[in-house]
Amino acid sequence: MAEIRVKNLRKDFGEFVAVQDSSFTVADGEFLALLGPSGCGKTTTLRMIAGLELPTSGQIFLDGEDVSFNRASARDIAFVFQLFALYPHMNVRKNIGFPLLSQGVPKAEIKARVEETAKLLQIGHILDKSVSGLAGGDRQRVALGRAIVRRPKCFLMDEPLGTLDAEFREVMVHELRELHNRIHATTVYVTHDQHEAMAMADKIAVMNHGIIEQFGTPQEIYNRPASMYVADFIGSPPMNFLKFTAGVQKGAGSVSFDGVEIALPEVHQDLAPGELALGVRPEHIRFNDSSALRGSVYGAEYLGTNQIVAVETGKGLLKARVSADRTFRIGETVGLELNSEKLSLFECASGRAVQSSLYTEARHG
Ligand code: ATP
């Protein structure tokens, strides 16, 4: 398996910049998810790594070798578009072995490698069945087998679960991660679904308009978002923002909402007066009737073990994730308490986190 390193990668389509200044490393055996909304440049990045698209500028290294302008066939990478694409007239064995047959691998070796792959995917018992009669899950496993059997340096996957219904998708998310734990293949996985990325990836690159906004572990991205964009894209419901205008001095500052002093996250340089946003995740808001930070309940969404309660405050609507035990009335006045250890601070004009040099540090992995 291999390390993938991308350096200052850029792709222009005419005047349009689809990917810009992308730099990151996927360590040998690591699983990276490229995550972002439609059109943010995920597929273009993946296609450049695969060699299906040439970069306008920048470099791609595979195990230290500059492959930026090598043809796709010379890169030893398996590209999995959509796991359903099988040859319907062949049985499972032939489908999995096909890439080896076209490479001219001897028959005995094909047999051994197909059987080894089938064992890995736990589909040894269906090797001689026709693919047309297979259930969805087994079809996905066969398609994966066809990618694995080649023992490529790395796997590139473009929304492979995109066409599946929600329940089956969840099963496959689990299976793909299990498979990764077994074979440790360096993987780059494109998705617009934050749950898939969080559940499977070792590292996530959150993309926005061709730019990587943050590169980090799922925990870093969730707990220390580098920008308002990331804070809003990740989390369901997303992070709440309480906007205010102030200057903040280096070190520990505070802000007053409804007369309640809230300690701000520490900043490492003075911030000139301007609009700032305090970010708080829904699970870091508590109801405390004696708190002076007040609001009225706008709505509650019952989720079984907990509930999301929307509260209208003088600073806008805040969503809190709290225990489902208490019943709230619409319009009821409540007091809110923010967990001051879990807050983020952003500069509204740039959207960047300001509690440290987080934004610049976090963009390049
Ligand atoms: P999606 O999930 O919708 O595919 P994506 O994040 O993978 O989104 P890309 O497919 O990388 O996005 O596309 C990024 C942008 O580049 C889009 O605005 C797209 O229209 C544009 N684009 C992609 N390929 C081409 C092309 N060959 N010519 C012109 N524009 C292109």
Side-chain angles (χ1 to χ4, degrees), residues 12 34-35 56 83 108 119 127 131 135 140 145 148 151 181 264 272 275 285 287 329 345 357:
D12 297 345
L34 294 178
L35 173 68
T56 305
L83 294 183
K119 195 169 160 205
L127 271 179
V131 293
Q140 300 272 15
I148 294 169
R151 299 182 190 150
N181 292 345
L264 294 175
E275 198 183 14
I285 300 178
F287 286 90
R329 274 180 298 105
L345 187 62
S357 51

Side-chain angles (χ1 to χ4, degrees), residues 13 16 18 37-45 53 159 190:
F13 292 111
F16 181 75
S38 180
C40 71
K42 309 178 295 288
T43 298
T44 306
T45 303
E53 200 82 72
E159 305 254 10
V190 160

